[in-house]
Amino acid sequence: MTTSPPRRMRADARRNYERLLTEAAAVFAERGVDASLEDVARRAGVANGTLYSHFPTRQALLEALLRSSMENLAATARELRDHPSAYEALVTWLRAAIVHTTAYRGLAAPMMRSLKDETSELYAACQAVLAGGEALLSRAHAAGAIRADATPEDLYALVNAVAWAGEQTSPEQGERLLTFSLDGLRPT
Amino acid sequence: MTTSPPRRMRADARRNYERLLTEAAAVFAERGVDASLEDVARRAGVANGTLYSHFPTRQALLEALLRSSMENLAATARELRDHPSAYEALVTWLRAAIVHTTAYRGLAAPMMRSLKDETSELYAACQAVLAGGEALLSRAHAAGAIRADATPEDLYALVNAVAWAGEQTSPEQGERLLTFSLDGLRPT
DNA sequence: GAATTATATTGAGACAGCCTCAAGTTTGGC
DNA sequence: GCCAAACTTGAGGCTGTCTCAATATAATTC
């Protein structure tokens, strides 16, 4: 029933929880976030009911899987506040966010939809990403490096759209789209 | 077995073909391109085998469904070649392409993937769209209205990415992304 | 270290969707 | 009106999601 990081779980439960996460990472990496959950359970060597009891929804599983990399992303944002160039700091972070979103095929869509959906298990994580970008954006705004009407939500959408385009075609195509958009985000 | 526009079909087959298209349009409009095909068959009042015999794959159905609007898009491109402003002509057409891609939820992904996939039933249609943009782009290039390194594929990716972003969040967010990108596509 | 209790796991089962194909039905030409 | 060709049917095999009563295991208590 729990989705939180293992708290006072029974030893077997904890073992299965970890094993499920490990195998889910592998399966999602191979087949994307829409991969069969039966497959995940099979590979983890447990019955599917066990998977559902640990992770009631696919998003809950995804959330647990992404937690640490999300935290890394937030930490990176914090570090970049000290970067000499406000603009470069922002761009570097945006690229990191895109890499994060490219971890599993099909991840961009839930990331995008969960930003405004409070009922989503990914909601908090998405908001954290938004906040990370927000800090760097306002610094870039202050430095006059980014057009004034660009919002954090714009950047969030951009990151996901670029990640999506990249996974549908090629990372290079995503990169090209990013280049154009970033140029369009310079002050007029 | 046929997917082409009704040619010498038996009367009942033709009736069912049309009916399936009509209902598919309705169902896809309601639930997006990943809607249940069983649903389409049910609503058309035929067995699912009939649907599969007319449209062997979901993409074949989609192709038949999109054919006329694709042709409109190509026609629009031709008309716009005479527009006084090469830049405005291009932007107008890009907007039309985005509207087209927003016809059904989930359409952007197959449009994007089929551009380079010759085995896709949507391949020809996607190539036609690409060609439509290509003509307007080269005119804009000649007029010095668009940066020289922008390719037709870039515009194609942009259209789909914007349509995707718009359907995941809001059309307004898509519009904002488009604005930034278009600014970034001006010559440097 | 056995009994008790709380916690987990199991896997069958209900359901939906995809797709196929042998059997049956309908149409249209003669 | 008959017949071959064209078309439709729907049960059935498959995969996948999700639930829940029965069962098993770990932790706690005495």
Side-chain angles (χ1 to χ4, degrees):
Chain A
M1 206 57 112
T2 173
T3 286
S4 323
R7 271 178 58 87
R8 300 244 156 233
M9 277 179 170
R10 238 170 62 173
D12 55 347
R14 185 176 190 119
R15 224 175 18 244
N16 288 333
Y17 180 95
E18 302 292 1
R19 188 84 198 279
L20 281 166
L21 273 187
T22 305
E23 296 303 325
V27 171
F28 284 6
E30 273 173 35
R31 305 209 191 288
V33 301
D34 294 321
S36 156
L37 296 184
E38 301 251 314
D39 231 36
V40 173
R42 251 193 306 273
R43 284 174 58 159
V46 301
N48 57 9
T50 300
L51 187 156
Y52 285 104
S53 99
H54 282 293
F55 308 101
T57 67
R58 185 181 295 270
Q59 289 214 333
L61 176 53
L62 207 45
E63 193 276 333
L65 218 42
L66 295 176
R67 197 171 304 147
S68 69
S69 66
M70 294 284 215
E71 278 161 12
N72 286 347
L73 208 49
T76 304
R78 257 175 268 121
E79 288 163 22
L80 283 166
R81 286 185 320 184
D82 301 327
H83 193 284
S85 159
Y87 181 73
E88 287 210 349
L90 178 61
V91 172
T92 301
W93 188 80
L94 289 177
R95 287 212 148 83
I98 291 169
V99 169
H100 165 265
T101 308
T102 310
Y104 307 117
R105 244 179 315 133
L107 179 53
M111 287 293 291
M112 194 82 154
R113 265 180 282 120
S114 300
L115 182 67
K116 298 287 173 184
D117 177 7
E118 298 180 24
T119 71
S120 166
E121 282 96 339
L122 288 173
Y123 178 73
C126 293
Q127 289 292 328
V129 171
L130 185 72
E134 194 156 19
L136 293 169
L137 174 61
S138 66
R139 191 164 155 253
H141 270 154
I146 289 279
R147 54 194 279 176
D149 63 346
T151 66
E153 280 80 7
D154 289 335
L155 296 185
Y156 190 89
L158 178 61
V159 163
N160 285 291
V162 165
W164 179 83
E167 89 189 9
Q168 298 294 318
T169 57
S170 67
E172 292 74 30
Q173 184 59 75
E175 177 64 33
R176 291 180 64 82
L177 235 46
L178 178 63
T179 306
F180 298 143
S181 303
L182 287 178
D183 282 357
L185 285 169
R186 304 305 307 240
T188 43
Chain B
M1 205 54 112
T2 173
T3 287
S4 324
R7 271 176 59 85
R8 301 244 156 233
M9 274 179 174
R10 239 169 61 173
D12 54 347
R14 186 179 189 116
R15 223 175 20 245
N16 287 334
Y17 180 95
E18 303 292 2
R19 188 85 200 279
L20 281 165
L21 273 186
T22 305
E23 295 303 325
V27 172
F28 284 7
E30 272 173 36
R31 306 209 190 286
V33 302
D34 294 321
S36 157
L37 296 184
E38 302 252 321
D39 230 35
V40 173
R42 251 192 307 273
R43 284 174 57 158
V46 301
N48 57 8
T50 301
L51 187 156
Y52 285 105
S53 98
H54 282 294
F55 308 101
T57 66
R58 184 180 295 270
Q59 288 213 334
L61 176 54
L62 208 45
E63 194 275 333
L65 218 43
L66 294 176
R67 197 171 305 146
S68 69
S69 67
M70 294 285 215
E71 279 160 12
N72 286 348
L73 208 51
T76 302
R78 259 175 266 120
E79 288 162 22
L80 282 167
R81 286 185 319 185
D82 301 327
H83 193 284
S85 159
Y87 181 74
E88 288 210 349
L90 178 60
V91 172
T92 302
W93 188 80
L94 289 177
R95 287 213 149 82
I98 292 169
V99 168
H100 166 265
T101 307
T102 311
Y104 306 117
R105 243 178 317 133
L107 180 53
M111 288 293 291
M112 195 82 154
R113 268 181 278 121
S114 300
L115 182 68
K116 298 285 173 186
D117 176 7
E118 299 180 24
T119 71
S120 167
E121 283 96 339
L122 287 173
Y123 179 72
C126 293
Q127 288 292 326
V129 171
L130 185 72
E134 194 156 20
L136 292 169
L137 174 61
S138 66
R139 191 163 155 252
H141 270 153
I146 289 279
R147 55 194 278 177
D149 63 346
T151 67
E153 281 81 7
D154 289 335
L155 296 186
Y156 191 90
L158 177 61
V159 164
N160 285 291
V162 165
W164 178 82
E167 88 189 8
Q168 298 294 320
T169 55
S170 68
E172 292 73 32
Q173 184 60 75
E175 177 64 34
R176 291 179 65 84
L177 236 46
L178 178 63
T179 305
F180 299 143
S181 304
L182 287 177
D183 282 355
L185 285 168
R186 303 308 301 244
T188 44

